[in-house]
Amino acid sequence: MPGDLYLLAGRYRLIERLGQGGAGTVWRAIDEMLDRQVAVKQVRVPEGLSPAERARFTDHAIHEARSAGRLRDPAIVLVHDVVLEGHQPWIIMDLVSGRSLDKMIKESGSLPPVFVAAIGLRVLSALEVAHAHGMLHQDVKPANILLDGDGSAMLTDFGIAAQMGRPGDRYGSAGSPGYMAPERLNELPSGPASDLWSLGASLYTAVEGRSPFERALPAAVAAAVLLHEPPFPARAGRDFGALLMAMLAKDPAARPTAGQIRQALAGVPTVPVPRPRRARRRWLLPAALAAVVALGAGGWYAAGALGGGQETGRFTTAPDPCALLSDEQVAGLMKGKPERTATRPGECQWLIREPGRRLVLRAWAEKPAGEFGGPQVAQRRFTSEKTSRGAGEGTQGREARGRVSDVTGVGEAAILQNSFTLYVNTNKTGTSDSTLLFRTSNLLGEVIWHREDVPAASPVDKETAVAAARLVSAALSK
């Protein structure tokens, strides 16, 4: 095991162990290149593997971590880097402030339905982003849902995320008893419905104060998931309770879709949310205590204390992305009449189904953290994003990612990266994406211009993404 001052990859200095579990050990570390604190996960390599099996395990872990690092959503704890040292995979992620939903339930018992529904909407947003990228989280549970001081939720531990359609994990199944969908326990292929089942189990636990399949032994929990129906969650109310029961259906095809879940969660009646039983400052500080959670099969997060009195920045909250571009502006950009949809909080999408064009706009406001004000946090996040996206340049499988380039005339700073992914059955056509990230004060925004059925020899169309971002920047400056 590394010591307290171990320097990983000549860059990440391990400071203290934050927790340990079946999938690895989590450390607080200093990124000496960027002078920032990060969380470093030392992935556990199964014992008894042959050299060839160990190499395959390591390659798989690195590939999945890199894929998870491309996921972008305000409710996702970001993966910044993955390194290999001494045949040992390490995953570098954000060091995030807050405590787990699991810990809140243990301290406060059952939580108000409206509070739980708001958590569900945030986690659902993170899962939809992952599923849109062909990734499954595989370990959604209360210990992996992190709550910030204002109650907003983030989903952690995308380091063990996996491609859709894979059967049970070859080197030991990721996940936790009571939060693994029946098809995963049966080692059948997983899909988005598997993650949504786990979300339903997590929300059930939060609103009832106990898990839906609570038993004394892990084997009994697994048997209950496969064979028994949970008690109706009486504290959730009729409609919310019915939604949770539907999400926990044994048959994946019988479960509601993400869109149906979102609609139902948004309709949970609003009631006053009581303050946590402990004062806010007490459960946010000190960072070392707030950071440690029980690590199941890979669940983890780390924390840094929130500071007070720092500059907020121009934006106390992020503006509605749908209000930053008019329909006329988007029609001109996309050369057609698109459908507009507020897909999730902080995101708006304009879609032309034929010939397959999509413009996505996201915006989120960073808050003061520790000794840094909101603009400083946003600047550091932007710098980190620039570094991690630049590291993804190159060709992997059927996907090619271009270099990260600076863009002028958009906010205070902006970068753009193009990517192209060939379809599975041909080397002639695929999908093209131009992704532009920009920063203005404490606000970060992202514009994604997506095109389908694009010839492989066709030049990239970065101009549309840049033009859209400049219109958004102008709207923000008013």
Side-chain angles (χ1 to χ4, degrees):
M1 286 290 183
D4 286 345
L5 298 180
Y6 183 82
L7 186 63
L8 171 66
R11 175 173 178 177
Y12 306 104
R13 191 168 298 278
L14 306 188
I15 303 301
E16 66 174 330
R17 189 199 310 262
L18 295 175
Q20 183 171 333
T25 302
V26 180
W27 303 81
R28 183 170 66 89
I30 299 293
D31 180 349
E32 296 191 342
M33 182 178 293
L34 297 180
D35 190 25
R36 61 174 183 175
Q37 293 195 46
V38 294
V40 175
K41 180 175 182 178
Q42 179 185 10
V43 178
R44 183 185 67 83
V45 179
E47 298 179 358
L49 299 181
S50 68
E53 289 174 332
R54 185 183 182 99
R56 285 195 294 269
F57 172 85
T58 300
D59 288 344
H60 171 76
I62 291 175
H63 173 74
E64 301 298 2
R66 284 175 175 166
S67 298
R70 295 171 184 163
L71 303 179
R72 297 292 182 271
D73 187 85
I76 293 177
V77 176
L78 295 179
V79 174
H80 292 296
D81 196 5
V82 56
V83 298
L84 180 64
E85 186 165 290
H87 304 289
Q88 169 72 62
W90 303 75
I91 300 172
I92 289 77
M93 300 181 71
D94 265 352
L95 192 69
V96 183
S97 58
R99 64 170 177 172
S100 69
L101 177 60
D102 179 62
K103 187 173 182 180
M104 176 179 276
I105 295 168
K106 290 177 180 176
E107 294 175 353
S108 304
S110 60
L111 303 175
V114 67
F115 183 66
V116 176
I119 292 171
L121 284 169
R122 290 274 296 187
V123 177
L124 180 64
S125 172
L127 291 176
E128 286 184 292
V129 168
H131 297 162
H133 285 76
M135 301 294 295
L136 299 176
H137 185 278
Q138 293 205 117
D139 200 17
V140 180
K141 61 183 179 182
N144 279 342
I145 298 173
L146 180 64
L147 304 177
D148 206 343
D150 61 0
S152 60
M154 297 182 74
L155 183 59
T156 70
D157 203 21
F158 273 91
I160 62 169
Q163 296 291 335
M164 291 182 187
R166 280 200 313 128
D169 298 292
R170 183 172 182 177
Y171 301 102
S173 184
S176 302
Y179 298 99
M180 291 176 64
E183 62 271 20
R184 293 201 58 224
L185 290 173
N186 281 326
E187 297 187 353
L188 298 173
S190 302
S194 305
D195 277 347
L196 297 179
W197 189 97
S198 300
L199 174 60
S202 299
L203 300 182
Y204 183 112
T205 301
V207 78
E208 287 294 286
R210 58 179 180 81
S211 66
F213 303 99
E214 189 174 60
R215 301 291 192 278
L217 299 174
V221 173
V225 169
L226 293 171
L227 302 173
H228 303 296
E229 296 297 328
F232 189 91
R235 292 184 175 89
R238 184 187 64 183
D239 294 338
F240 191 14
L243 170 67
L244 295 177
M245 294 296 288
M247 292 174 71
L248 294 174
K250 308 296 185 191
D251 181 2
R255 298 168 199 158
T257 64
Q260 292 169 331
I261 294 171
R262 185 189 313 108
Q263 183 178 8
L265 289 175
V268 174
T270 300
V271 296
V273 179
R275 291 182 175 273
R277 294 179 182 176
R278 295 186 178 186
R280 177 183 176 185
R281 181 174 297 274
R282 187 174 179 186
W283 63 262
L284 285 176
L285 298 172
L289 293 179
V292 180
V293 297
L295 291 175
W300 71 279
Y301 74 84
L306 289 176
Q310 299 292 340
E311 178 189 1
T312 301
R314 284 180 52 200
F315 302 90
T316 54
T317 60
D320 178 7
C322 289
L324 295 176
L325 289 173
S326 68
D327 290 341
E328 291 76 13
Q329 288 173 324
V330 177
L333 291 167
M334 300 182 69
K335 298 178 175 57
K337 189 174 181 180
E339 305 171 18
R340 182 181 64 180
T341 307
T343 46
R344 59 179 64 88
E347 179 179 294
C348 193
Q349 172 182 278
W350 292 266
L351 174 66
I352 297 179
R353 299 187 183 277
E354 295 293 340
R357 301 290 184 262
R358 183 168 68 245
L359 183 68
V360 179
L361 174 59
R362 299 169 181 156
W364 64 96
E366 297 288 356
K367 301 176 183 178
E371 61 189 49
F372 302 110
Q376 292 174 296
V377 173
Q379 182 177 14
R380 285 171 170 255
R381 176 62 63 86
F382 180 87
T383 301
S384 173
E385 284 290 313
K386 185 175 182 180
T387 301
S388 62
R389 296 185 186 200
E393 178 182 347
T395 300
Q396 184 175 17
R398 305 183 71 81
E399 181 183 21
R401 304 180 75 85
R403 67 181 181 88
V404 171
S405 59
D406 294 317
V407 179
T408 60
V410 179
E412 297 174 30
I415 56 173
L416 182 136
Q417 186 176 40
N418 299 303
S419 64
F420 186 87
T421 304
L422 287 166
Y423 291 138
V424 174
N425 59 348
T426 179
N427 289 323
K428 296 181 179 180
T429 57
T431 61
S432 173
D433 290 277
S434 292
T435 303
L436 188 150
L437 179 74
F438 68 89
R439 179 183 65 82
T440 297
S441 184
N442 64 312
L443 185 79
L444 291 173
E446 188 173 52
V447 175
I448 303 172
W449 172 231
H450 174 84
R451 298 181 297 152
E452 298 177 1
D453 297 329
V454 178
S458 176
V460 297
D461 178 22
K462 64 181 182 181
E463 289 76 14
T464 299
V466 172
R470 286 178 175 159
L471 289 172
V472 172
S473 183
L476 291 171
S477 64
K478 293 179 180 178

